[in-house]
Amino acid sequence: MQRPGENDLSAVSGPADSIDPRVLDRAVAALTERFADYQRLLVLSGAGLSTASGIGDYRDHDGNYKRPPPVTIQRFLESTAARQRYWARSLFGWPAFAAARPNPAHLALARWEAALRARGGWLKVITQNVDGLHQAAGHNEVIELHGSLHDVGCLDCGAVEPRAQLQHRLLAENPQLMGTRATLAPDGDADLEDVVLDSVSVPQCLACGGRLKPTVVFFGDSVPRAAVESAYRWVEAADALLIVGSSVMIHSSFRFCRRARDQSIPLVAINRGKTRADSWLEQKFEVPCEALLPRAVNQLYGS
């Protein structure tokens, strides 16, 4: 098994247009050679796949958090102040998140899926992302481990409301926040300056007046068992597992790497930085996925 550092395809940093073309050429050749004969490909994706769409990521090159982790589910449920803070920040972070569109890496993976399906194979996606960009790019089989930020659900009656619709209510109920200085953060969040949080009006369920929460898995919560079991079945049926844009530092994604290792399924990563599965990888490409994947798919199936 080839270990990280045993090839010259890593240690690349900077934006996609600053990559040494020779390094990218070698990465394209190596990736296409490895995946040319695989007919059942499972992709495990993370935040690094969506950064080229304008959505920030959480971790640095060493896999450490670049900022404090998001609010935990326990804190969100127990604290009115935590919910005020969450919804105030979401008010400013949502527009840019909602405007994000699939980037060349998403589109290349969707094209890869279509090409394999036309040949009797498949490409399926397990994603940690909550942005829906895989589906927007045209993927048909996606497990969203952490849910979707595009809906909110009532914790009391179960009613669901589109997050875009909720934005109008947040704006109408919090005019005092207009003019607040905000800096975008990952996943529809934002850092705010000079906000009096106890003035924030928290949205309530239109059906019952209950507490609302995005339909995502918060820190400290669990991925639904049905999703985990389906993901394990996909791993066990795959010819290879390709990690794209994820450090797989958290258990919710890392367990699928462990299952692939246990089943002797090849593990390959496209990730600009350390992953928790580095010691198990057969190959690793530390080049931007939005630069590598379109060229690799073109080489595999024609431009």
Side-chain angles (χ1 to χ4, degrees):
M1 177 181 292
Q2 188 173 33
R3 300 300 184 190
E6 294 181 349
N7 59 63
D8 59 355
L9 303 176
S10 60
V12 179
S13 61
D17 58 6
S18 71
I19 303 169
D20 184 333
R22 295 169 296 180
V23 172
L24 184 57
D25 287 345
R26 292 195 296 272
V28 170
L31 185 67
T32 54
E33 179 181 8
R34 171 165 292 280
F35 285 92
D37 297 325
Y38 293 146
Q39 292 299 302
R40 297 171 299 179
L41 177 58
L42 182 59
V43 172
L44 176 57
S45 71
L49 177 62
S50 293
T51 55
S53 295
I55 299 175
D57 56 4
Y58 290 97
R59 296 182 184 269
D60 62 19
H61 191 273
D62 295 320
N64 300 315
Y65 280 115
K66 297 189 288 188
R67 52 185 294 111
V71 64
T72 65
I73 183 61
Q74 293 80 8
R75 179 72 175 156
F76 184 87
L77 295 178
E78 295 169 359
S79 169
T80 299
R83 292 193 292 276
Q84 288 176 308
R85 179 178 181 272
Y86 176 86
W87 288 114
R89 294 165 65 101
S90 178
L91 172 65
F92 289 91
W94 169 256
F97 180 88
R101 295 295 178 264
N103 66 57
H106 292 105
L107 297 172
L109 287 172
R111 184 181 171 212
W112 200 343
E113 177 190 320
L116 285 174
R117 189 168 61 249
R119 291 161 174 78
W122 52 256
L123 183 153
K124 301 180 182 183
V125 177
I126 301 170
T127 186
Q128 298 166 253
N129 298 338
V130 296
D131 51 38
L133 293 181
H134 279 297
Q135 295 92 324
H139 282 284
N140 291 284
E141 294 190 84
V142 180
I143 292 175
E144 295 177 307
L145 286 179
H146 300 157
S148 171
L149 200 63
H150 290 274
D151 291 307
V152 293
C154 179
L155 295 168
D156 299 298
C157 75
V160 176
E161 177 182 359
R163 175 62 183 80
Q165 177 177 302
L166 180 65
Q167 183 73 0
H168 298 297
R169 290 201 283 131
L170 277 171
L171 288 166
E173 295 170 9
N174 290 283
Q176 79 283 5
L177 296 180
M178 296 306 98
T180 298
R181 296 180 62 181
T183 303
L184 293 180
D187 286 344
D189 192 12
D191 296 318
L192 307 182
E193 296 183 18
D194 302 322
V195 173
V196 180
L197 288 176
D198 61 11
S199 73
V200 175
S201 175
V202 174
Q204 296 180 327
C205 174
L206 292 174
C208 75
R211 297 166 299 169
L212 293 176
K213 171 186 165 295
T215 55
V216 299
V217 176
F218 276 37
F219 275 63
D221 205 352
S222 299
V223 176
R225 173 49 52 182
V228 173
E229 292 175 351
S230 294
Y232 275 138
R233 287 194 292 270
W234 287 6
V235 172
E236 292 166 0
D239 294 328
L241 174 59
L242 176 63
I243 301 166
V244 181
S246 177
S247 64
V248 293
M249 288 292 177
I250 58 176
H251 175 68
S252 66
S253 57
F254 178 68
R255 57 182 148 193
F256 303 117
C257 300
R258 180 186 289 114
R259 179 63 61 89
R261 189 275 312 264
D262 292 345
Q263 298 291 321
S264 299
I265 294 166
L267 273 163
V268 177
I270 305 171
N271 190 65
R272 303 180 76 182
K274 179 181 178 181
T275 82
R276 191 175 174 185
D278 274 354
S279 64
W280 300 341
L281 300 178
E282 297 198 358
Q283 278 181 304
K284 182 179 182 182
F285 303 92
E286 288 201 49
V287 298
C289 54
E290 67 272 16
L292 174 56
L293 284 169
R295 285 192 51 187
V297 174
N298 282 346
Q299 188 162 313
L300 283 167
Y301 302 109
S303 57

